[in-house]
Amino acid sequence: MVSLARKNLLEDIPRFLVAQAGILFAVTLVTIQLGIFSGFSKSTVKLIENSNADIWVASDTLVQLELTLPVPVSELIKARKMPEVARGDGLIFSGAHWFPKEGELVRVRIIGFNPQSSLYQPETVLEGSVSNLTEPYTAMIDIFDQNTLQVEGIGDQLQMSSLPVEVVGMTEGNTSMISNPFVLMSLKNANAYLRAGQTSQINCQLPEKGSQLECINMFHPEPDDQATTIEPNIEPRNLAASDVVTFILIKAESGQDLSALKDKLEQKLNNVKAYTKEELINITETYWQQRTGIGLVLGLGTVVGIVVGTVVVSQILYSSVSDHLKEFGTLKAMGASAGMIYRIIIEQAVWMAIFGYLPAMLLSFGVAYWINSSQGTLLLITPTSAIAIFVITMAMCIGSAIFAIQKVNRVDPAIVFKA
Amino acid sequence: MASPSVTVQAEQITMFFKSGQQEIPILKNINWKATRGTIQLLMGPSGSGKTTFISILAGLLTPTQGQVYLLGQEITHLSRQKRTAFRREHIGFIFQNFNLFPALTAAENIEIILNMKGVKKEQARYQAQELLQQVGLHLYANQKPKDLSGGQKQRVAIARALAGSPCLIMADEPTAALDSQSGYQVTELLKHLAKEKGCTVLIVTHDPRIQDVADHITYLEDGRLILPN
Ligand SMILES: Nc1ncnc2c1ncn2[C@@H]1O[C@H](COP(=O)(O)OP(=O)(O)OP(=O)(O)O)[C@@H](O)[C@H]1O
Ligand SMILES: [Mg+2]
């Protein structure tokens, strides 16, 4: 088929390029806005995504991943005894202070996990090995936090809370846009830092009508005369029932109904709520999206991009059609139906969409690569968002054809015989 | 109703154009017909209503009063879609300024019309070449209109008008933009091809030099037909 649309579009190359540049920037703007939104959302839940657990058990006070109370290890022990549970591990996710060699104190987030378990493993270990974390007072940090934490490299000795810490590994991608730098370590070590400078006391009582013992964990600052030293002479000990973790990660036996298991965990364990991985991701993402209003801000940027794109395409299609009005009149006189005429204009819009989308994606991937290699994953373009943006671009261009179509509709074919 | 040998018949055509409050009569009760396979010339002074008349005959304008029968079909009462479809199937057009599509090559200018008439890709390409051959421009198939002379452009336009073998060809001042020699050649070519294919051709012209190609000449003056003596 002879494509008048394509030929007319390519007939005036400079104008075509100007039009495409307009679409290119509009689509790039939309892509970057959506990319930052995905990157932000994803970064708030990366920790959850890196886990291999089916179910996350947390205190029933949980608001989101970073806002929850601890759960006693006694509950983890109970969970492990359940026949439906293949594996259960604690995860400590808690704040601490990091003392760089010089300069200001930094707030960090300890991620304490079982290095021997697959339920949580950090993303991309660049240097060192997770198995090194079993050594006392060792930690891994993320390469993007290296400057903030003033770590020169592996083997650096620094201080966290009131204890020494040795950096034994470097990861990539274990950061969150809304959180403090992550410090990865074994549960045992994490527990030691958590308790440094504090004593804990667990109070248990049997409620009047209940058959279950209810325990409350209380923390007190240690008396001054017992203040811990920078040089600990004891190795971190294994977690005891009276210690606390932030989450209990559960791997179900194969073939288990997860929602039934969730219910059962909530029944058997005290004061907890169980979430599937997806549920916790949802809660946390939604919390941050609403809390920061990022959806609104970036949504506004997206709308601006779409409006600019629509205006550019409308304008170009309209002026292109106006320039070729006589040709459309000729076609109409020769018997082209309204459908045939619309098809030509819409085809022109589709070509503009395709030739705008492809370079815009290239540009966006370039920008994403550039930003992400210096800032961590800030801008995320997923296949789904790439497809969504293609659909938006198409809709934008085809929607823009309306004015051009109206213009052609008004052309009287009788003009052809007027000189 | 018209007899089968009559391809075009206009009955009591009256046309008013609105100008402000006034309605100005442009065509006044015209009766006219053309028999199959003839070359008809419509002549007359400027402003006499020739273009208005041919536009009505081609179904591009609807007369204030009167009927037009093309191939036995009354067209003034057809819906806009049906009239468009009728033009697509039965009428070829030739214009004073050629009205070729500047972005398309000579061959593509013909192909697009064949495509519109339902002839598909390869077949359309083949027929376009054949038509260009008939107007003597097969060597110019890949030239764009801007690289062709006026006479060549009008020959491409003739090939395009003949695409899909319509029974009627309507041309308004086809030689006005051409020098006298190419004007004559183009008209000769049109006559030759039309006769060969059995088309009825209606040409509006000012050009006295092409009078001798006509089978019949009609004069229009001040919106009325003047009978030739
Ligand atoms: N759409 C219109 N509205 C109002 N008046 C019109 C319209 N079209 C044509 N006229 C008038 O109708 C008259 C006849 O016009 P038409 O174009 O049919 O003449 P013509 O014989 O083709 O002239 P020419 O030889 O100059 O092409 C003219 O006076 C013109 O001004
Ligand atoms: Mg005229």
Side-chain angles (χ1 to χ4, degrees):
Chain A
M1 291 286 152
V2 175
S3 166
L4 187 62
R6 199 178 60 234
K7 304 263 169 155
N8 273 350
L9 211 53
L10 296 175
E11 181 72 356
D12 188 349
I13 294 284
R15 182 163 76 180
F16 174 69
L17 291 180
V18 169
Q20 292 316 115
I23 304 171
L24 169 93
F25 287 116
V27 175
T28 306
L29 180 59
V30 172
T31 311
I32 288 177
Q33 301 291 316
L34 291 178
I36 292 175
F37 185 74
S38 321
F40 173 84
S41 300
K42 171 117 180 169
S43 116
T44 61
V45 296
K46 204 138 192 204
L47 183 81
I48 312 171
E49 286 187 337
N50 284 344
S51 88
N52 194 20
D54 297 321
I55 292 174
W56 286 59
V57 178
S59 152
D60 57 6
T61 57
L62 177 134
V63 178
Q64 46 101 348
L65 180 71
E66 302 203 14
L67 189 50
T68 182
L69 292 178
V71 182
V73 172
S74 54
E75 307 308 302
L76 168 60
I77 295 165
K78 280 191 222 162
R80 279 184 175 161
K81 286 188 180 143
M82 289 168 56
E84 298 89 341
V85 171
R87 199 180 164 90
D89 273 310
L91 186 82
I92 290 176
F93 193 48
S94 175
H97 292 109
W98 181 274
F99 295 84
K101 286 180 188 133
E102 288 157 19
E104 291 171 351
L105 192 66
V106 181
R107 258 202 87 77
V108 293
R109 261 197 176 258
I110 292 176
I111 299 175
F113 63 102
N114 180 355
Q116 271 121 33
S117 162
S118 63
L119 287 194
Y120 175 79
Q121 286 290 316
E123 198 176 319
T124 326
V125 176
L126 292 176
E127 278 183 82
S129 147
V130 170
S131 59
N132 296 344
L133 292 177
T134 48
E135 295 297 315
Y137 306 112
T138 54
M140 282 181 155
I141 61 156
D142 197 85
I143 188 131
F144 287 112
D145 296 325
Q146 205 179 345
N147 284 338
T148 319
L149 301 180
Q150 290 188 23
V151 173
E152 273 156 30
I154 286 195
D156 263 21
Q157 304 266 355
L158 292 103
Q159 184 191 335
M160 187 167 70
S161 295
S162 53
L163 293 169
V165 62
E166 182 184 348
V167 177
V168 296
M170 206 64 89
T171 64
E172 189 179 350
N174 286 292
T175 53
S176 160
M177 271 186 232
I178 39 80
S179 195
N180 298 313
F182 289 162
V183 175
L184 300 156
M185 49 178 49
S186 70
L187 270 171
K188 235 159 115 173
N189 283 331
N191 186 50
Y193 287 101
L194 214 65
R195 301 168 61 89
Q198 290 184 323
T199 59
S200 82
Q201 181 190 356
I202 192 156
N203 289 332
C204 295
Q205 64 178 90
L206 198 61
E208 271 180 29
K209 282 180 191 155
S211 58
Q212 293 267 354
L213 204 59
E214 283 192 353
C215 295
I216 298 171
N217 213 316
M218 318 245 286
F219 294 92
H220 309 286
E222 251 176 26
D224 275 351
D225 56 329
Q226 282 179 27
T228 38
T229 53
I230 301 290
E231 290 301 321
N233 39 24
I234 39 157
E235 289 214 348
R237 58 167 175 77
N238 280 324
L239 268 65
S242 62
D243 286 319
V244 291
V245 291
T246 319
F247 294 101
I248 298 170
L249 305 184
I250 301 288
K251 183 88 197 160
E253 285 289 359
S254 60
Q256 284 296 321
D257 173 12
L258 289 187
S259 90
L261 180 53
K262 260 172 53 189
D263 289 347
K264 200 159 175 200
L265 282 161
E266 284 174 3
Q267 270 170 26
K268 285 260 161 100
L269 313 188
N270 285 331
N271 306 324
V272 300
K273 196 154 166 33
Y275 303 90
T276 61
K277 202 170 154 177
E278 287 68 33
E279 284 167 349
L280 191 59
I281 286 176
N282 248 326
I283 289 171
T284 305
E285 273 184 348
T286 312
Y287 175 87
W288 285 112
Q289 284 164 10
Q290 288 172 352
R291 175 67 186 270
T292 55
I294 191 169
L296 185 72
V297 172
L298 296 176
L300 220 59
T302 307
V303 169
V304 169
I306 293 174
V307 169
V308 168
T310 307
V311 169
V312 168
V313 179
S314 297
Q315 210 270 321
I316 296 292
L317 277 178
Y318 192 84
S319 73
S320 161
V321 159
S322 305
D323 285 358
H324 295 106
L325 228 44
K326 199 175 105 185
E327 292 168 47
F328 285 108
T330 305
L331 277 175
K332 277 181 151 187
M334 291 181 151
S337 65
M340 293 172 191
I341 302 279
Y342 298 165
R343 222 172 300 146
I344 291 172
I345 298 170
I346 286 171
E347 191 192 328
Q348 206 162 332
V350 167
W351 284 116
M352 289 175 85
I354 291 170
F355 286 121
Y357 175 81
L358 292 177
M361 271 297 137
L362 268 177
L363 181 62
S364 301
F365 274 111
V367 170
Y369 180 80
W370 176 64
I371 289 183
N372 295 348
S373 61
S374 60
Q375 302 284 315
T377 302
L378 213 66
L379 215 163
L380 185 72
I381 305 168
T382 60
T384 321
S385 65
I387 292 169
I389 289 159
F390 184 69
V391 173
I392 290 174
T393 311
M394 266 304 164
M396 182 176 91
C397 289
I398 292 173
S400 306
I402 289 173
F403 300 103
I405 284 175
Q406 277 178 341
K407 173 109 183 162
V408 172
N409 258 344
R410 286 194 297 267
V411 174
D412 183 353
I415 62 160
V416 288
F417 278 151
K418 303 264 185 248
Chain B
M1 256 304 296
S3 78
S5 69
V6 176
T7 27
V8 183
Q9 180 163 10
E11 283 182 353
Q12 296 173 335
I13 298 294
T14 298
M15 186 71 176
F16 286 93
F17 277 128
K18 265 208 180 77
S19 161
Q21 295 289 331
Q22 274 183 312
E23 294 221 320
I24 302 166
I26 303 298
L27 300 174
K28 299 157 188 167
N29 200 24
I30 292 181
N31 292 293
W32 185 83
K33 62 184 163 189
T35 44
R36 185 183 300 273
T38 53
I39 311 286
Q40 300 280 337
L41 239 51
L42 190 59
M43 302 186 78
S46 186
S48 57
K50 304 183 295 295
T51 296
T52 306
F53 188 48
I54 196 175
S55 298
I56 289 170
L57 293 181
L60 295 172
L61 280 181
T62 308
T64 314
Q65 272 170 38
Q67 287 86 44
V68 175
Y69 296 90
L70 299 180
L71 311 166
Q73 164 80 54
E74 207 290 315
I75 60 158
T76 61
H77 290 100
L78 289 180
S79 68
R80 186 202 291 241
Q81 280 103 314
K82 286 202 171 131
R83 237 183 307 154
T84 304
F86 189 93
R87 288 200 302 272
R88 180 164 69 236
E89 269 177 66
H90 302 296
I91 308 177
F93 287 89
I94 298 169
F95 311 97
Q96 176 173 344
N97 296 311
F98 326 122
N99 290 25
L100 295 177
F101 305 108
L104 305 185
T105 63
E108 286 167 343
N109 261 282
I110 300 164
E111 269 179 71
I112 191 174
I113 298 305
L114 286 164
N115 291 159
M116 191 179 89
K117 296 185 178 191
V119 185
K120 301 279 180 242
K121 293 175 197 168
E122 289 306 315
Q123 187 62 20
R125 196 158 304 159
Y126 174 76
Q127 286 185 23
Q129 291 298 336
E130 218 173 32
L131 284 160
L132 280 175
Q133 178 112 37
Q134 288 169 11
V135 297
L137 286 177
H138 49 289
L139 296 178
Y140 296 82
N142 296 321
Q143 304 281 342
K144 291 207 176 153
K146 67 172 170 21
D147 300 322
L148 299 173
S149 72
Q152 288 172 326
K153 279 187 234 186
Q154 201 60 303
R155 274 145 73 190
V156 174
I158 289 171
R160 183 176 69 172
L162 293 170
S165 309
C167 316
L168 295 164
I169 305 285
M170 308 257 181
D172 192 5
E173 311 272 12
T175 62
L178 303 177
D179 61 76
S180 58
Q181 194 183 348
S182 44
Y184 185 78
Q185 283 172 355
V186 159
T187 325
E188 272 294 313
L189 177 68
L190 179 56
K191 176 186 176 176
H192 168 72
L193 291 174
K195 289 276 177 202
E196 196 177 276
K197 292 171 201 276
C199 300
T200 307
V201 182
L202 179 51
I203 302 172
V204 166
T205 188
H206 268 110
D207 192 346
R209 287 159 311 190
I210 62 171
Q211 284 186 32
D212 57 345
V213 302
D215 296 314
H216 190 262
I217 301 177
T218 305
Y219 293 92
L220 201 61
E221 211 172 295
D222 196 20
R224 290 181 206 278
L225 293 188
I226 313 279
L227 294 176
N229 29 3

